[in-house]
Amino acid sequence: MKAALLASGSKGNCCLIKHKDTKLVIDCGATKRYLQSCFQRLHCDVSDADALLVTHTHKDHVAQINSFRHLPAYAWADLDREQQVVEPFETFWVKDIKVQVLPLSHDAQHTVGFVLEADGEKLVYVTDTGYVRNEVKERICNADYYIFESNHDVEMLMQTNRPIYLKQRIINDYGHLNNEDCAYILQEVMGERTKEIVLAHISQEGNTRSQAYHVLENELSRRGFLHNDLKLYPAEQFGIHVFGNKEE
């Protein structure tokens, strides 16, 4: 399984997953021009993708949904278009990839994450959640790859000029995971087969990529989980990060 994270943050989110002849797009935020340029750089014709998976309906995740109307769409939230409605913990197949739906906790109705499995590999996609319930943790253990939210540093967030109601929205149980909570959850669920952790949805005002990285690095080091074969990568808002089986 090969993944390419194209955008991750409050200005847009999109991820492309490929395995054999199966291509999945997760979310479709950002601008049309930017996403088209990413697909071109990856030599990928999105017109022949097999499905669009949508986590929730905030604009930074669905801004270009009209550009993907040709794809079958799977979501728990109402997309106001033809779609396959999926329920929490439901599993379904899109050709060669098995997908499981993860209920998350966010202030958009019916927000979800996904577990993708193919030929013995497992990828977890969890962003936009204030906390992760135990039933979800059980299903994301020992994945090969994690795309996982590390949105904010609490102290940095509180020092921004954002209004207090917005700060409270971000830090509550229906907001976003902070660096410490992200790191703590990941050290709970990662396992021997884990190859790469991509920190996602990093705030550009209330966090830095280096801060998110070092919090996770320090937690994993303290637990004795760091090793040479484990890669940690803090995602950029815009920028293509390719990982997984790059021979796909």
Side-chain angles (χ1 to χ4, degrees), residues 122-150:
K122 178 177 178 180
L123 182 147
V124 170
Y125 188 96
V126 169
T127 69
D128 296 78
T129 191
Y131 73 98
V132 177
R133 65 183 73 178
N134 288 333
E135 299 96 321
V136 170
K137 290 179 185 178
E138 293 170 1
R139 289 163 170 83
I140 65 175
C141 285
N142 200 22
D144 296 89
Y145 313 107
Y146 291 91
I147 300 174
F148 213 84
E149 177 172 66
S150 188

Side-chain angles (χ1 to χ4, degrees), residues 41-65:
R41 288 172 59 190
L42 292 168
H43 306 290
C44 175
D45 184 356
V46 73
S47 66
D48 66 359
D50 297 288
L52 171 68
L53 309 182
V54 176
T55 59
H56 63 293
T57 56
H58 280 162
K59 185 177 180 181
D60 56 322
H61 294 260
V62 295
Q64 302 307 319
I65 197 164

